[in-house]
Amino acid sequence: MIRVLVVDDSGFMRLALRRIIEADGDLKVVGEAANGHLALELAERLQPDVVALDLEMPGLDGLAVTERLMALPAPPAVVMVSHHTREGSEMALAALARGAADYLWKGSALSGLDLGQIDRELRGRLRHWATQRPAGLPPPQPMPPQRLPPQPVPAISTLPPRSREDERFDLLLLGASTGGPDALAALLGAAGALPVPCVVAQHMPAALGPDFARHLAARTGQPVVLGAHGGRLVPGEVLLLPGGTDGHRPAPPRAG
């Protein structure tokens, strides 16, 4: 049974989400919260597998709640369910940057609230991310004191000096998932101009690719392009693999 915590400041939405989530019998809503502070309290006490989280709430908003959930020793997966997390929106990017696994837009182009879309998509996403929840890191343990015998320090190193040829590389590959957007922006921004092509694989929905490429370019000052089959790798350019794919194309079968 997959355990779900529902967080939304609307009583109607909490009721609707509970009915949608529990419709198939393999997901159970173990708690409901109307604000961010209660959400954090329930998450620590109930230990849900996944949290369906609204963005705009009194007190702590969904972004702040997500950051604090990710700091727990065994954080649940977070799926944002909000009017503000439309495909490609800045809020959707911000949610992913803070550690959310996925997002779902409450609205539609024709109406303010689309419960039909939520009913079609939410359960599948909760099931998927409950099995892919980020692994919490155990708290650091102090190292026991060690008494080591003094080691002689050679006056001159016996290792041969490294040549600049040894330090060359042809391609930089970066892979990221939960929390990756913010980490990638910080890393690439600090790296400055790159002498080789850089390929980035960030776990994200397919439709978010163009917006994330623009977001990454604006934050890092690096030229960022969205990759396409047959494209070229250019030194100094960051190529972002499209979301929702494995980033490779199988080789054609050999003849004979």
Side-chain angles (χ1 to χ4, degrees):
M1 182 72 69
I2 295 173
R3 298 161 50 83
V4 184
L5 174 63
V6 171
V7 185
D8 198 296
D9 61 341
S10 164
F12 167 76
M13 276 305 301
R14 293 197 302 274
L15 175 62
L17 289 174
R18 174 183 285 273
R19 291 180 176 174
I20 289 171
I21 290 168
E22 296 184 339
D24 292 340
D26 62 328
L27 296 99
K28 179 176 178 59
V29 175
V30 295
E32 298 179 11
N35 60 67
H37 291 288
L38 181 56
L40 294 172
E41 178 186 326
L42 291 179
E44 290 194 66
R45 178 158 55 88
L46 299 174
Q47 297 291 302
D49 300 304
V50 61
V51 178
L53 178 62
D54 193 14
L55 183 64
E56 190 174 31
M57 296 182 297
L60 289 177
D61 65 10
L63 298 181
V65 171
T66 300
E67 282 189 324
R68 298 195 187 187
L69 288 174
M70 292 301 106
L72 294 176
V78 173
V79 176
M80 306 297 296
V81 185
S82 170
H83 283 296
H84 300 280
T85 48
R86 191 171 185 172
E87 288 281 352
S89 70
E90 286 295 320
M91 286 299 183
L93 284 171
L96 294 179
R98 283 162 175 77
D102 204 348
Y103 58 83
L104 184 61
W105 186 35
K106 283 181 180 176
S108 73
L110 301 177
S111 63
L113 176 64
D114 190 350
L115 290 176
Q117 175 181 323
I118 297 174
D119 184 52
R120 289 189 299 272
E121 297 191 33
L122 181 59
R123 289 189 299 277
R125 299 191 189 201
L126 295 177
R127 289 187 189 102
H128 173 76
W129 291 114
T131 62
Q132 304 291 326
R133 57 189 298 191
L137 298 177
Q141 300 296 323
M143 294 292 292
Q146 296 181 348
R147 298 181 179 274
L148 299 176
Q151 298 294 324
V153 179
I156 301 176
S157 172
T158 58
L159 295 175
R162 295 181 62 186
S163 68
R164 295 190 61 86
E165 189 70 24
D166 295 332
E167 301 175 356
R168 292 185 57 187
F169 56 96
D170 300 314
L171 179 66
L172 175 62
L173 301 175
L174 299 175
S177 184
T178 301
D182 202 43
L184 287 170
L187 175 62
L188 291 172
L194 298 172
V196 296
C198 175
V199 176
V200 172
Q202 165 66 52
H203 188 274
M204 62 182 175
L208 197 58
D211 296 279
F212 183 53
R214 288 191 290 270
H215 170 82
L216 203 56
R219 286 197 57 185
T220 65
Q222 304 269 28
V224 182
V225 299
L226 188 64
H229 179 61
R232 297 177 60 85
L233 296 176
V234 179
E237 189 173 77
V238 177
L239 186 142
L240 176 67
L241 295 178
T245 70
D246 291 330
H248 69 87
R249 189 180 182 91
R254 297 177 61 181

